[in-house]
Amino acid sequence: MIDMNNFGIGQSVPRVEDSRFITGCGRYIGDVNLPGQAHAVVLRSPHASAAIRRIDTGPARAAPGVLGAFSARDLGGELGTTSITIERRRPDGSPMFWRAHQGLAADRVRYVGEPVALVVAETLAQARDAAELIEVDYDAGSAVADILSALEPGAAAVWDECPDNISNIHEMGDRPATEAAFARARHVVRRRYVVSRVHSQYMEPRGALALHDPREDRYTLYCDVQAPHAVRDLLALEVLRIPKERIRVVAFDIGGAFGGKGPALEHRLILWAAKRIKRPVKWQADRSETLLADEHGRDNAHEAELALDADGKFLALRSHWIANVGAYINGDRNFQCSFTNTPGMVGVYAFPTAYVRSTCVMTHTGPLAPYRGAGRPEASFVIERLIDDAAAELGMDRIALRRKNAIAPEALPQKTALGFVYDCGEFGNCMDRALEMADWADFGARREASRAEGLLRGIGVANPIERAGPVAMEYAEIRLDGAGEATVLMGTKNQGQGHETTFRQVLYANLGIAPEDVTYIDGDTDRVAQGTGTFGSRSASIGGSALVVASNKVIEKGRKIAAHLMEAAPADIVFKAGVFSIAGTDRRLSLDEIAQAACQRGKIPPGMEPGLAASGTWAPPDFTFPYGTHVCEVEIDPESGAVRVVRYFVVEDVGTMINPAVLKGQIHGGIAQGAGQVLMERIAYDRDSGQLLSGSFVDYAMPRADDFCDIKIGSLSVPTDRNLLGVKGAGEAGAVGALPAVMNAIMDALAPLGVKELEMPATPDRVWRAIREARK
C-alpha cells in the first residue's frame, strides 16, 4: 500500500510500473503475437551507392515455408510516399531538394542497409534463409559518407538532380548587425567543432506486427513508436491513402526510444504484406540490423565565431551549422534538428546580435532523425566549447567570462538574438550553486593529487539551456465508474519516463484519487481519442496540463451534483482532497459518492448527462526553457589515453518537480548518453566506400555503469507560467549538458600539454595520439 501522505506533486514516489518490469510482466513488441502470424525479413543493400541492374526473387519464393518474396516491382505503386511540411530553400533560391523513400529500392541504392526486398515466411529462420537466395545484380559506384567531403567540388552526388548535395539552407538572426559587430570587435575567436553520428541503442530493437481484417478492410499495427496517433495519421493519409479510422496503431511497453522510434519503412511494408498474403506479419530487427536500418542521430559540423569587446563582453555569435541528413528525407523529422533548436546556440548569455546559417547535406548514409536533445546538445556544445576556447585564447577566467555575460533574472522575459523568448530563470545563481556543490575553488588541490599519481586531471563546466515542450496540443481523459475507480487515458506515450507514476501524482493532487484506484491507458489510437505523443520533453508540461483541464471539468460537474444532493448552491460547494463540502459546515460527500450518484439518473440535476467523465486538451502559448549547470571532472592516463569520469555535479531548473526521484533518473540517463557520445560512441562509415564500420557492439562502444562516478544532482525551481503545472521539462536535460561539460573537462586536462583540438569521441587512441602530437 502506498503512503498517501507522500504521493502528491513534489514527492519522490517509487515508480508503480517498475513492479511489472522487474517481474518480467512487461509487454514489449517481442511479446506481441497473433495466431497464424508469418515472419518478415528485409533484404538490405550491401552497397552505399549502386545501380540495380536486376532483382530475381524467384529462388526465394521457391524456398521452404516462403509465403512471398517482394521487390519494388511487386508494390506496384500501391503505397504512397511521405511528405514534408517545412519549407526551405537551396542556396540559389530554388525549393529545397528532398526525396522520400518508396519502401523498397527500385533502380538504385543510396546507403548501406537500404531496403531492397521483403521476404515473408512461416518462420523467421525460413525467411532469413530465403532472403539470402535473392539475387541482386548491383553496379557499384562512388560514395560519399562525410558531410564536409560531400560539399567538396567533384564529390559523388547522392542524387543526379542535386549535384552539390545541398538539400537546403536556413538562416536565422540578423546577418548585417552581426557582421558589423564582428567588424568592431576587439577579439574574435574562431573554431570548428564536429559532433559525431550516434545511435539511440534502446533496450529493445524496433519491431512491428501488422494485421489486415478483410471484412472491414481495416488494418491494425502493433509497434513500438513514440507518437501512435501521428504514425496512424501518416500511414493512413499518405502511405495507405485511406481514412485514418481504418487503421489502428497500438504501442504497449517500449524499451526506450530517445527520438528514434518514429514512422518507419518497415511499418508500411508489413501492412502491405499482411493484406497481400491474408495473414498477420511480424518484423523485428536484431541488433546488427538495427544499426543498418534505424535512423541515426547528430552528425554535424560547426564553423563558429565569437566576437568580444576589450572587457570580455559578448558582442555577437556567428556560426555555420552543417548537418548531415543522409540519403533520404522522408519527413520533417529527418532534417528538423538542423534548425529547430539552433536558436539555443546563444545559450543563457546576453548576445546583442547573432547569425546562424544551417546547411543540410545529403550523403550516402542512412537517414538522420531526432536523438535525445534533437539539436539542443549540439547548440550547447558549440557555445560552451567556444566560451572555454575564448577564455583560454584571451587569458580570461572561464567562470568570470560566463558570469559577465549571463542574462540577469531581472532582464527576463527576454527575446534572444536568435528568436527564443526566455520567460524566467536564474542562470547565474544556478551556476554558482553548481560550482559550490562541486567545490570548484579547491580543484587545484585535486589536480595536484592526480598529478602525483601520474594522471592528468581536468574540470569542465557548461550552462545548457533547451527549448522544451513543442507547441502542439495534448489530450487527457478521465473516466470514473460507480465504484469511484478511475481510468486515465493519455495522448502521450510512455517509453520508460515514469508516466504511469507521475500522471497518477497529478491526478491525486487534483482529485485525491488513490493510485491503486487508477487504470492507466496510453498508446492505443482506438482507445485514446487523440494525442500528439512523447518527444521534446513535452509530456509532463503539456500532457500534465491536459490532465489538469480534465480534472477541473470533473470537479465542476461533481460540484453541481454535490450541490443538488446537499441542496446547496454550486457556488457554496468546496472541493479539496477528494471531498465536496458546503463551505463553513461539516456536510460533505466524497468523490466516490459523487461518482456513484452520477450513474443514477435520479440523483443528478435535471437535464444533466449521467456519468462522471471528462476529457481535456492543452496547447501551450510558447515553449518552456529548462536550464542548468553541469560540472564534470575527469582523470586521464597520459600513457594509455584512457579517460575516466571521477566527479559529476548538476543543478537543474526544470520548474515544478512532479517526482524528484524520476527527475534524477531522467538526468542520470541523459548524462550517460551525452558522456557516452563524447567518450566512446560513434556510428562510423568508411570514407571511401560508405560501408558501415560500426555494425555491432563489437565496434560500437556503449558506456557501462563502471564508466561513471556517483552523479550528484541539485535543484533550483523557478516555475514557468506557460502551463498549468509550472513544469519546464527534464527528459533531455542530462544529454544537453553532458556533451559540452565532459568535453570541456577533457580539454582542460589536456591543456597543460598544449592539446587544443580533439574530436569526439575522445577514445583512448585519439587522446593518446593527441598527447603524443602535442609533445612533439
Side-chain angles (χ1 to χ4, degrees), residues 83-149:
S83 63
I84 60 172
T85 64
I86 301 171
E87 294 184 0
R88 291 289 177 263
R89 295 283 172 180
R90 283 181 29 82
D92 62 3
S94 60
M96 71 175 284
F97 180 86
W98 65 283
R99 291 291 185 271
H101 205 285
Q102 304 290 320
L104 294 174
D107 57 355
R108 187 167 194 87
V109 291
R110 292 178 171 85
Y111 67 94
V112 172
E114 182 173 351
V116 174
L118 180 75
V119 177
V120 182
E122 296 284 357
T123 69
L124 181 58
Q126 289 172 331
R128 285 175 173 167
D129 289 344
E132 295 181 0
L133 300 177
I134 295 176
E135 299 174 2
V136 185
D137 184 4
Y138 294 103
D139 181 13
S142 300
V144 60
D146 175 72
I147 43 175
L148 298 180
S149 298

Side-chain angles (χ1 to χ4, degrees), residues 191-195 300-306 317-321 344-346 356 375-389 402 736 739-740 744:
R191 292 291 187 276
R192 170 184 285 179
Y193 303 113
V194 176
V195 180
N300 40 69
H302 307 264
E303 305 283 354
E305 301 174 275
L306 180 63
L317 174 73
R318 183 165 59 195
S319 181
H320 184 194
W321 182 313
M345 196 173 281
V346 295
V356 178
R376 303 165 181 85
E378 296 96 308
S380 288
F381 184 82
V382 170
I383 185 59
E384 294 297 328
R385 289 287 299 116
L386 198 53
I387 292 174
D388 264 27
D389 281 341
R402 285 176 167 85
V736 177
L739 217 64
N744 279 347

Side-chain angles (χ1 to χ4, degrees), residues 236-500:
L237 303 179
E238 297 193 32
V239 176
L240 299 173
R241 293 173 290 203
I242 58 175
K244 62 184 181 181
E245 293 76 18
R246 283 177 49 199
I247 180 170
R248 175 190 185 191
V249 172
V250 184
F252 296 113
D253 293 322
I254 297 177
F258 313 118
K261 290 186 174 177
L265 298 178
E266 295 86 3
H267 295 159
R268 65 187 74 175
L269 293 176
I270 65 170
L271 284 165
W272 178 88
K275 183 176 182 179
R276 178 73 172 255
I277 70 168
K278 300 180 174 57
R279 286 175 59 175
V281 176
K282 185 172 187 177
W283 168 83
Q284 187 156 25
D286 59 23
R287 281 291 170 190
S288 294
E289 185 180 14
T290 285
L291 288 162
L292 289 168
D294 290 4
E295 296 164 321
H296 299 151
R298 314 279 195 250
D299 201 354
N300 40 69
H302 307 264
E303 305 283 354
E305 301 174 275
L306 180 63
L308 307 90
D309 68 13
D311 296 324
K313 289 287 288 185
F314 296 164
L315 298 178
L317 174 73
R318 183 165 59 195
S319 181
H320 184 194
W321 182 313
I322 308 168
N324 196 341
V325 294
Y328 292 89
I329 297 177
N330 295 306
D332 298 346
R333 63 183 271 110
N334 294 135
F335 72 104
Q336 65 183 21
C337 298
S338 65
F339 61 86
T340 54
N341 291 292
T342 309
M345 196 173 281
V346 295
V348 300
Y349 308 105
F351 278 95
T353 185
Y355 168 74
V356 178
R357 175 187 176 97
S358 298
T359 299
C360 289
V361 182
M362 306 194 82
T363 62
H364 289 101
T365 64
L368 276 291
Y371 171 62
R372 200 169 193 170
R376 303 165 181 85
E378 296 96 308
S380 288
F381 184 82
V382 170
I383 185 59
E384 294 297 328
R385 289 287 299 116
L386 198 53
I387 292 174
D388 264 27
D389 281 341
E393 185 171 316
L394 304 178
M396 299 179 178
D397 180 78
R398 49 190 163 151
I399 299 300
L401 189 58
R402 285 176 167 85
R403 189 174 284 121
K404 179 190 290 286
N405 290 284
I407 299 172
E410 58 270 18
L412 298 174
Q414 181 179 120
K415 186 174 183 178
T416 73
L418 291 176
F420 280 166
V421 180
Y422 298 162
D423 58 325
C424 61
E426 298 176 4
F427 307 136
N429 183 22
C430 184
M431 183 172 70
D432 290 342
R433 288 194 185 192
L435 296 177
E436 183 179 355
M437 277 180 60
D439 192 14
W440 182 278
D442 197 37
F443 171 71
R446 295 192 295 275
R447 171 173 269 175
E448 288 301 320
S450 295
R451 183 176 295 153
E453 296 180 7
L455 302 174
L456 304 171
R457 193 180 188 105
I459 189 169
V461 64
N463 294 322
I465 189 168
E466 57 168 312
R467 184 197 78 163
V471 181
M473 176 279 301
E474 200 45 84
Y475 174 85
E477 183 178 352
I478 304 167
R479 303 173 186 168
L480 284 91
D481 62 19
E485 295 191 352
T487 298
V488 173
L489 303 99
M490 297 296 302
T492 58
K493 181 68 197 88
N494 189 21
Q495 307 141 36
Q497 297 95 333
H499 290 186
E500 297 177 41

